[in-house]
């Protein structure tokens, strides 16, 4: 079965960096695009970034552009989110999500359980 | 900045029917926005329900259906069950970005 397991969350000071990982299993990772989505405490979902199956295309929300970098290592079945210059408003649960169709990234199918990032001094 | 708008809250009786909508600040929602719908219960990760306007995932109960209605994406629940009480989010595609709606809190009462 498809499994997505995020890790790397924690408490970090404003201005510092953190890297999240999402290790996947149960499907051919190198065939599918992946998204990162976040949810601030008590708030709604916010799309963060997407990466194509081969890593050649990456897109970001304006709120994180220039600070966050999405990447993947298909040999390790792992998706990453490098978060730099963190701000208090980046505090959220971060979810990785798998798209449904090969190549196309318009449909989110499976979600991980999320990892909490808290930005606080 | 693009805004996607959903009803903040709706209430429905068990066995009833309710329609949630999803509007875009850019104009009418079409199939080209590839509307997705998700359900989220307290303390849980979201779960996908509908993709590309009206397609169901293999686990989506038959009582959930998606459509386009009056220039909006719509999610209809027919024969609502108590376990359908949850937050519901739509997601629209804008070429190189995706935007979630603010969510609808559905109460079954």
């Amino acid at each position: 079965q498809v499994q997505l397991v995020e890790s790397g969350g924690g408490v970090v000071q404003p201005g510092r960096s953190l890297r999240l990982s999402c290790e996947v299993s149960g499907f051919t990772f190198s065939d599918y695009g992946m998204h990162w989505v976040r949810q601030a405490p008590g708030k709604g979902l916010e799309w963060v970034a997407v990466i194509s199956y081969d890593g050649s295309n990456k897109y970001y929300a304006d709120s994180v552009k220039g600070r966050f970098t999405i990447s993947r290592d298909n040999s390790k079945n792992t998706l990453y989110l490098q978060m730099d210059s963190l701000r208090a408003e980046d505090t959220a649960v971060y979810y990785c999500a798998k798209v449904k169709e090969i190549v196309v990234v318009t449909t989110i199918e499976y979600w991980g359980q999320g990892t909490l990032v808290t930005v606080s001094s | 900045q693009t805004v996607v708008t959903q009803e903040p809250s709706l209430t429905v009786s068990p066995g009833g029917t309710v329609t949630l909508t999803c509007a875009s600040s850019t104009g009418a929602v079409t199939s080209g926005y590839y509307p997705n719908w998700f359900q989220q219960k307290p303390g849980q990760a979201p779960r996908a329900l509908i993709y590309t306007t009206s397609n169901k995932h293999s686990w989506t109960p038959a009582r959930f259906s998606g459509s386009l209605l009056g220039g909006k994406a719509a999610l209809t629940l027919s024969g609502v069950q108590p376990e359908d009480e949850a937050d519901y989010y739509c997601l629209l595609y804008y070429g190189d970005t995706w935007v979630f709606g603010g969510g609808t809190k559905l109460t079954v009462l």
Side-chain angles (χ1 to χ4, degrees):
Chain A
Q1 71 279 23
V2 172
Q3 287 196 323
L4 310 171
V5 181
E6 301 94 337
S7 61
V11 180
V12 61
Q13 293 179 329
R16 303 298 291 265
S17 299
L18 203 61
R19 189 178 81 158
L20 305 183
S21 300
C22 170
E23 188 169 349
V24 312
S25 60
F27 65 99
T28 304
F29 181 60
S30 58
D31 282 347
Y32 295 90
M34 298 288 294
H35 291 262
W36 284 102
V37 175
R38 68 184 181 183
Q39 187 169 34
K43 303 297 185 182
L45 301 173
E46 180 186 12
W47 176 77
V48 173
V50 65
I51 187 169
S52 59
Y53 69 102
D54 61 357
S56 62
N57 293 296
K58 305 174 185 181
Y59 301 104
Y60 300 91
D62 287 344
S63 58
V64 307
K65 199 173 293 182
R67 300 188 299 122
F68 289 12
T69 303
I70 189 171
S71 63
R72 63 191 297 157
D73 186 336
N74 285 345
S75 68
K76 296 182 178 181
N77 286 346
T78 303
L79 173 73
Y80 302 101
L81 185 68
Q82 176 67 40
M83 303 186 295
D84 298 325
S85 303
L86 283 162
R87 306 167 180 168
E89 53 265 35
D90 296 318
T91 294
V93 173
Y94 285 74
Y95 297 100
C96 63
K98 170 191 174 291
V99 304
K100 180 176 179 64
E101 296 149 324
I102 292 176
V103 178
V104 177
V105 293
T106 54
T107 296
I108 290 179
E109 185 182 30
Y110 289 101
W111 296 70
Q113 285 304 302
T115 187
L116 176 62
V117 173
T118 302
V119 184
S120 174
S121 54
Chain B
Q1 177 173 336
T2 301
V3 177
V4 176
T5 301
Q6 299 181 242
E7 297 86 1
S9 63
L10 291 170
T11 300
V12 61
S13 300
T17 296
V18 64
T19 297
L20 290 64
T21 67
C22 175
S24 172
S25 62
T26 61
V29 176
T30 66
S31 58
Y33 287 81
Y34 296 91
N36 283 235
W37 289 93
F38 304 92
Q39 178 192 64
Q40 187 180 34
K41 296 182 178 180
Q44 297 184 15
R47 180 175 76 138
L49 291 175
I50 299 288
Y51 65 98
T52 315
T53 304
S54 58
N55 296 285
K56 299 179 186 182
H57 294 278
S58 59
W59 52 79
T60 302
R63 62 184 180 275
F64 290 86
S65 63
S67 64
L68 295 176
L69 199 63
K72 301 177 184 180
L75 176 70
T76 299
L77 288 70
S78 304
V80 171
Q81 302 297 307
E83 60 265 28
D84 297 332
E85 183 162 295
D87 293 327
Y88 292 85
Y89 295 92
C90 66
L91 175 65
L92 300 181
Y93 168 66
Y94 291 88
D96 57 3
T97 61
W98 281 253
V99 181
F100 281 95
T104 296
K105 182 176 182 62
L106 183 66
T107 300
V108 181
L109 201 57

